């Protein structure tokens, strides 16, 4: 394990952050494009949920092999290989002429950007001092939130001028530029040295040690439902809720998403500033999650029960809900720090698999429930309330498991 100079550490962070910005933009852009794609390809709620979830199918499918590759080959080599697939996915999406073509391209995009957060976190685990790792994680998420901001109003403004197909060609070029920056700035991977006895270190490439870890298992339901579901709503279902329940226009919904993501950006940035101060005062991630998560669940319940009664305030209440839910992000770097450096890549990727499996499940599941309730003669606003209510109950169950599992 070694440390980078301050200047090099900043350059490495900047290179990774540039790639993660576009990773987040590609992830979230479906929400802004949803009205256009629904109209052009005649999609229903189930199709829209599956299309957005296609990204997460590709993303989740790579996480287990990704962890082993990161531990063995290092962040630089792995992320460059994956980003080449992202370029292909963006080009394929721009050329799609059917729902099947869109879905395949989204899967390729998910595969291609699936290392954009895990690669830097694995590198930071070895290159950065422990007190800076929580901060680096929060600021990477800040950059991701900035990418999501860019996927809202800026994309909506570009649409009349370029169309959605040209936007994806531009994204392909910018991802290629990110690859150049990473190749230039990120150092080569150096394997952990053998023990002082001179005997070789036994090499394990499996995940058994990760999955057996009690602390890891304690956090699994929270990652799957509470944080994974947050991302599912942020990247897809917040905009349809605003249109179908709160009666926003597509432009008003894009504006609402813009401010939602600005709120997320500011909250992640503040976490990065506050984390060292909180750590010095014994505010551990577990303590923050324990006291913060009930606030998030309560705000989600208010959204569900109020429905169209808070039509004009939908953006504000969603923003507060999203900000309160960022406490769930504290679990990710905590997982990395709970394992030795030679297991960090696998631990982080396994937890990321949990999160993005949850994103896909919630994203598609809400669409299925909405369509099912519509078949049962529920009005569209009430169908959305019912689907979000089912999700809220899952969050309550996940938090209850977390509290029960962490008791000695």
């Amino acid at each position: 394990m070694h440390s980078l100079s301050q200047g090099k550490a900043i350059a490495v962070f900047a290179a990774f952050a540039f790639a993660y910005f576009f990773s987040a933009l590609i992830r979230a852009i479906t929400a802004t494009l949803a009205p256009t794609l629904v109209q052009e390809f005649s999609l229903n709620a189930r199709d829209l949920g599956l299309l957005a979830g296609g990204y997460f199918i590709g993303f989740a499918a790579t996480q287990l092999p990704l962890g082993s590759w990161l531990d063995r080959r290092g962040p630089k080599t792995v992320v460059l290989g994956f980003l080449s697939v992202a370029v292909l996915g963006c080009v394929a999406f721009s050329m799609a002429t059917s729902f099947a073509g869109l879905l395949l391209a989204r899967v390729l995009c998910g595969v291609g950007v699936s290392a954009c957060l895990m690669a830097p976190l694995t590198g930071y685990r070895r290159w950065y001092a422990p007190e800076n790792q929580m901060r680096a994680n929060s600021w990477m998420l800040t950059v991701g939130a900035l990418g999501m901001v860019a996927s809202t109003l800026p994309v909506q403004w570009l649409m009349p001028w370029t169309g959605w197909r040209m936007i994806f060609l531009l994204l392909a070029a910018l991802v290629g530029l990110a690859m150049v920056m990473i190749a230039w700035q990120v150092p080569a991977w150096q394997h952990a040295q053998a023990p002082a006895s001179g005997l070789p270190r036994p090499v394990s490439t499996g995940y058994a040690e990760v999955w057996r870890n009690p602390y890891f298992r304690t956090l699994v339901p929270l990652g799957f439902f509470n944080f994974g579901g947050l991302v599912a709503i942020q990247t897809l279902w917040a905009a349809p809720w605003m249109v179908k329940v709160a009666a926003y226009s597509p432009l008003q919904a894009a504006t609402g998403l813009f401010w939602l993501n600005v709120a997320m950006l500011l909250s992640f940035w503040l976490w990065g500033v506050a984390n060292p101060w909180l750590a010095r005062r014994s505010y551990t991630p577990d303590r923050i999650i324990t006291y913060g998560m009930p606030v998030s669940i309560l705000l989600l319940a208010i959204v569900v029960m109020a429905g169209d009664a808070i039509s004009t305030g939908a953006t504000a209440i969603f923003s507060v809900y999203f900000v309160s839910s960022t406490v769930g992000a504290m679990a990710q770097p905590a997982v990395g720090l709970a394992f030795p450096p030679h297991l960090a890549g696998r631990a982080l990727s396994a937890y990321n698999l949990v999160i993005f499996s949850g994103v896909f499940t919630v994203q598609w599941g809400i669409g299925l429930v909405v369509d099912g309730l519509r078949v049962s003669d529920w009005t569209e606003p009430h169908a959305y309330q019912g689907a979000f209510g089912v999700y809220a109950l899952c969050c309550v169950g996940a938090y209850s498991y977390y509290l029960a599992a962490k008791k000695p």
Side-chain angles (χ1 to χ4, degrees):
M1 186 182 298
H2 63 283
S3 297
L4 304 177
S5 67
Q6 183 177 7
K8 186 63 174 177
I10 292 172
V12 168
F13 180 89
F16 278 134
F18 188 74
Y20 189 56
F21 172 88
F22 292 108
S23 166
L25 196 161
I26 292 168
R27 181 202 312 168
I29 197 171
T30 314
T32 304
L33 297 182
T36 301
L37 296 177
V38 166
Q39 182 176 12
E40 186 168 334
F41 292 91
S42 301
L43 307 181
N44 57 31
R46 180 176 62 254
D47 294 332
L48 189 59
L50 181 58
L51 178 61
Y55 170 100
F56 299 106
I57 293 173
F59 197 107
T62 66
Q63 291 305 297
L64 294 184
L66 172 63
S68 296
W69 293 337
L70 285 171
D71 286 333
R72 287 185 290 162
R73 301 182 184 277
K76 181 177 182 176
T77 300
V78 172
V79 78
L80 288 176
F82 274 81
L83 285 175
S84 62
V85 180
V87 173
L88 177 62
C90 288
V91 172
F93 198 90
S94 74
M95 299 172 65
T97 58
S98 66
F99 173 72
L102 291 175
L103 181 59
L104 176 60
R106 284 296 286 173
V107 172
L108 288 174
C109 288
V111 169
V113 300
S114 60
C116 285
L117 183 59
M118 293 303 98
L121 292 189
T122 301
Y124 300 158
R125 180 67 179 88
R126 185 173 296 188
W127 297 326
Y128 288 10
E131 61 271 17
N132 290 327
Q133 290 177 39
M134 295 287 285
R135 170 176 285 177
N137 178 80
S138 291
W139 282 351
M140 284 294 291
L141 294 176
T142 300
V143 172
L146 184 60
M148 292 186 180
V149 169
S151 76
T152 55
L153 280 181
V155 169
Q156 191 74 29
W157 291 332
L158 278 176
M159 286 279 288
W161 299 94
T162 65
W164 61 270
R165 296 181 186 275
M166 185 57 67
I167 289 173
F168 270 85
L169 288 176
L170 178 61
L171 286 172
L174 291 168
V175 171
L177 178 59
M179 294 173 66
V180 173
M181 293 178 62
I182 290 171
W184 175 34
Q185 290 294 342
V186 175
W189 193 242
Q190 296 183 11
H191 293 284
Q193 297 181 355
S197 65
L199 296 174
R201 179 196 297 271
V203 178
S204 169
T205 59
Y207 280 80
E209 190 172 348
V210 174
W211 296 112
R212 283 199 303 262
N213 186 283
Y215 181 69
F216 182 91
R217 294 202 304 269
T218 296
L219 293 170
V220 163
L222 285 181
F224 188 92
F225 286 111
N226 299 65
F227 195 66
L230 166 70
V231 176
I233 293 172
Q234 181 187 17
T235 55
L236 179 60
W237 290 115
W241 176 284
M242 291 177 186
V243 173
K244 304 296 186 180
V245 179
Y248 282 23
S249 70
L251 179 58
Q252 288 174 321
T255 304
L257 283 175
F258 175 85
W259 290 112
L260 289 179
N261 287 304
V262 167
M264 292 283 282
L265 185 157
L266 292 174
S267 62
F268 283 131
W269 179 77
L270 288 172
W271 280 121
V273 172
N275 272 327
W277 182 89
L278 292 169
R280 288 194 297 270
R281 287 158 179 79
S282 300
Y283 283 92
T284 64
D286 284 334
R287 190 176 178 187
I288 294 170
I289 291 169
T290 299
Y291 292 113
M293 196 59 72
V295 177
S296 166
I297 295 171
L298 176 61
L299 289 166
L300 177 59
I302 292 172
V303 170
V304 172
M305 290 186 291
D308 59 1
I310 53 168
S311 175
T312 56
T315 297
I317 192 66
F318 263 120
S319 295
V320 179
Y321 162 61
F322 281 13
V323 168
S324 67
S325 298
T326 59
V327 295
M330 299 297 103
Q332 204 159 33
V335 165
L337 289 168
F339 289 86
H342 72 278
L343 276 172
R346 274 164 283 174
L348 289 165
S349 293
Y351 194 69
N352 218 34
L353 171 62
V354 169
I355 291 173
F356 283 94
S357 296
V359 176
F360 168 73
T361 302
V362 174
Q363 210 157 59
W364 193 22
I366 286 178
L368 289 172
V369 175
V370 168
D371 283 348
L373 294 176
R374 293 285 288 136
V375 169
S376 302
D377 294 329
W378 287 43
T379 64
E380 198 163 33
H382 288 160
Y384 272 86
Q385 286 179 267
F388 273 59
V390 171
Y391 166 63
L393 291 176
C394 292
C395 290
V396 171
Y399 180 69
S400 300
Y401 173 85
Y402 167 76
L403 292 179
K406 68 194 291 284
K407 290 180 180 178

